[in-house]
Amino acid sequence: MERDVTEIIRISLGAETDTGQIFGIRDSNIKNIEDAFEVSIVLRGDEIIVDGKRSQEAASVISDLVWIVSNNETLDEQKLEYVISLNSGGNSYRTSGANKDIVAFTHRGKPIKAKTLGQGDYVNQIKSKEIVFGIGPAGTGKTYLAVALAVSALKNRDVERIVLARPAVEAGESLGFLPGDLQEKVDPYLRPLYDALYEIMGRDMALRLKEKETIEVVPLAYMRGRTLDNAFIILDEAQNTTTAQMKMFLTRMGFGSRVVVTGDVTQIDLPDGRSSGLVHAEKVLSGVKEIGFCHLTDSDVVRHTLVRKIIGAYDRYERKVSAKKDGTTKKLNAKKPTLKR
């Protein structure tokens, strides 16, 4: 019988290394690493000893954690999960470039960074291309990073204004019964954009710039007939646009402007029979080299770690259902009798 090959790796720690942060509360970080790679990890003096078949990957995770703590970066559950996923794929957080460049600062002075490789690619594409599509699940920072880059561009005077748009998919009969004018009716749909603005700029500054129309937060329908020069334009929740709306939006772009389109193709709320403008746009525009398409995945989720697991569970379930449907269709087609003439 073949014997499992295990390897023992020893990681030396410096005298100033904060092992408490690395191990986590009640050794929670180490337990997560042990579960992920099926290894045992113990601390003896100034050494961490890793034993198991996947000890190389587990040791690389620990080395990344030591590096994170020594560079005064925040080590939380989400970052630990991301470091584990990186090393599971043969990469290292230290050399990945993630969390390296500061995108902007919040009004409280907190730096905003791309926290994953996918987010880093997304930020780089927005900086280098005039139109970028950010496609991915909830919690991947698509809107937040785009707003941060828009605010940075405004502060650097690269653009003269920011325009944030969102489709209000129920802006007909359902909203008609709500009190207030049209703007008040659609404001609930625009709230996520306001939230991002307030966190990055501060509520008072954002409202002042909105009064001056330096910042506009509008329903997509308000974009028709306009041409926007020297503007940073963001279309959020683009999966809920129709093909006609998407074409209308993209053709609003003027000279000196940048456009970011964000959406999640797994959460389309359009009425049955209507095609998503985001899905259609990728098919039509994927060959235009000046336009960037960045696909974020559940590994780029920066919300609670359960969000990533929920997204993964839904993806696996939907693939299973889809595969079952395909198998049933093939089986039915195979049973269809051949008509003789």
Side-chain angles (χ1 to χ4, degrees):
M1 184 176 176
E2 188 177 344
R3 194 175 173 185
D4 289 341
V5 178
T6 64
E7 183 178 0
I8 297 175
I9 297 177
R10 299 174 184 272
I11 303 169
S12 297
L13 303 175
E16 5 7 269
T17 303
D18 186 347
T19 55
Q21 279 199 66
I22 294 168
F23 274 64
I25 299 172
R26 296 180 182 175
D27 296 344
S28 58
N29 293 348
I30 293 302
K31 288 174 183 175
N32 285 338
I33 299 170
E34 287 178 328
D35 291 343
F37 299 105
E38 298 180 343
V39 296
S40 67
I41 302 170
V42 296
L43 175 65
R44 288 182 184 165
D46 61 350
E47 280 188 335
I48 294 177
I49 302 171
V50 187
D51 185 8
K53 287 198 297 181
R54 299 179 67 188
S55 56
Q56 287 279 3
E57 293 164 285
S60 182
V61 170
I62 294 171
S63 296
D64 277 349
L65 300 190
V66 172
W67 185 89
I68 288 168
V69 170
S70 64
N71 281 273
N72 298 317
E73 289 190 15
T74 302
L75 178 55
D76 52 23
E77 188 181 358
Q78 184 275 325
K79 186 169 288 185
L80 173 64
E81 290 287 337
Y82 181 61
V83 172
I84 289 173
S85 68
L86 270 180
N87 283 277
S88 297
N91 297 305
S92 168
Y93 183 86
R94 288 160 290 166
T95 58
S96 68
N99 212 20
K100 184 180 178 182
D101 295 328
I102 295 174
V103 174
F105 289 92
T106 69
H107 71 290
R108 299 183 187 277
K110 180 183 176 183
I112 300 170
K113 299 180 181 181
K115 296 181 178 179
T116 69
L117 291 176
Q119 287 188 351
D121 177 50
Y122 179 53
V123 168
N124 289 334
Q125 287 205 47
I126 293 174
K127 288 181 177 179
S128 61
K129 295 188 175 182
E130 291 179 305
I131 298 179
V132 173
F133 287 78
I135 303 170
T140 50
K142 305 180 299 294
T143 304
Y144 187 77
L145 287 172
V147 172
L149 286 161
V151 171
S152 178
L154 183 65
K155 287 181 177 178
N156 294 333
R157 298 186 179 180
D158 296 328
V159 295
E160 295 175 356
R161 55 180 163 163
I162 297 172
V163 180
L164 309 176
R166 223 174 189 235
V169 292
E170 295 179 357
E173 185 179 16
S174 297
L175 287 177
F177 295 99
L178 294 176
D181 58 23
L182 182 58
Q183 184 66 49
E184 290 171 323
K185 292 176 191 289
V186 298
D187 265 355
Y189 291 91
L190 305 174
R191 178 53 54 188
L193 297 174
Y194 283 117
D195 290 343
L197 270 178
Y198 294 163
E199 183 173 343
I200 295 167
M201 301 192 76
R203 182 184 176 89
D204 291 342
M205 175 62 75
L207 290 176
R208 280 201 300 271
L209 292 176
K210 188 172 181 291
E211 286 177 7
K212 295 178 180 178
E213 297 188 347
T214 302
I215 293 178
E216 292 183 66
V217 185
V218 296
L220 178 61
Y222 285 24
M223 300 286 286
R224 191 172 298 278
R226 303 180 64 185
T227 300
L228 301 171
D229 293 329
N230 302 311
F232 199 117
I233 313 159
I234 300 172
L235 173 60
D236 193 34
E237 295 290 323
Q239 76 274 6
N240 289 327
T241 62
T242 64
T243 54
Q245 287 174 329
M246 178 61 77
K247 182 179 178 182
M248 178 274 291
F249 171 78
L250 292 174
T251 53
R252 300 309 93 202
M253 180 182 183
F255 292 105
S257 291
R258 308 186 81 80
V259 173
V260 179
V261 179
T262 72
D264 177 2
V265 294
T266 67
Q267 295 193 38
I268 298 172
D269 299 320
L270 291 170
D272 292 340
R274 285 194 167 189
S275 299
S276 167
L278 178 59
V279 175
H280 182 260
E282 184 171 13
K283 293 176 183 177
V284 173
L285 303 173
S286 59
V288 182
K289 64 181 182 179
E290 293 86 359
I291 297 177
F293 286 89
C294 182
H295 291 270
L296 299 162
T297 67
D298 58 343
S299 64
D300 297 302
V301 172
V302 292
R303 289 182 187 167
H304 194 288
T305 51
L306 267 178
V307 174
R308 182 185 300 171
K309 293 177 182 177
I310 289 167
I311 291 168
Y314 270 94
D315 286 344
R316 288 190 297 273
Y317 176 80
E318 287 165 6
R319 283 197 298 269
K320 186 177 178 181
V321 171
S322 180
K324 190 174 181 180
K325 284 181 180 177
D326 290 344
T328 303
T329 303
K330 288 177 182 177
K331 195 172 180 180
L332 289 171
N333 289 338
K335 288 184 177 180
K336 283 184 179 178
T338 304
L339 296 176
K340 294 183 180 180
R341 298 194 178 189

